[in-house]
Amino acid sequence: MAEQAACSLGQIFVNYLTDVRLKHSVRLLENTALRVQDIAQQAEYPSMLFCLKDALQADASFKG
């Protein structure tokens, strides 16, 4: 079902999932005192490194 939703939004499922995880991570960073490791775990990243990689890639594409 999530894959169908991502397709209907015109996104590849992996990109959609990354976007959801990043938005959730940002909300946690802004509204809690959780450590980055804990935020990565709550956003269901396999590891903190994946979380940081996605954040850096998103930042680079935002700056453009």
Side-chain angles (χ1 to χ4, degrees):
M1 185 156 100
E3 289 183 38
Q4 290 174 337
C7 288
S8 69
L9 294 171
Q11 292 182 304
I12 298 171
F13 179 69
V14 173
N15 294 346
Y16 172 77
L17 184 59
T18 299
D19 190 44
V20 169
R21 284 177 170 164
L22 282 172
K23 286 178 182 178
H24 182 60
S25 298
V26 167
R27 280 193 301 272
L28 291 172
L29 278 169
E30 291 176 340
N31 298 307
T32 70
L34 291 172
R35 299 178 313 157
V36 173
Q37 293 92 333
D38 298 327
I39 289 172
Q41 185 178 24
Q42 285 195 22
E44 298 185 17
Y45 276 99
S47 75
M48 185 180 71
L49 294 177
F50 281 97
C51 181
L52 292 174
K53 177 187 72 78
D54 284 348
L56 290 172
Q57 286 177 344
D59 186 53
S61 65
F62 178 73
K63 288 181 180 176

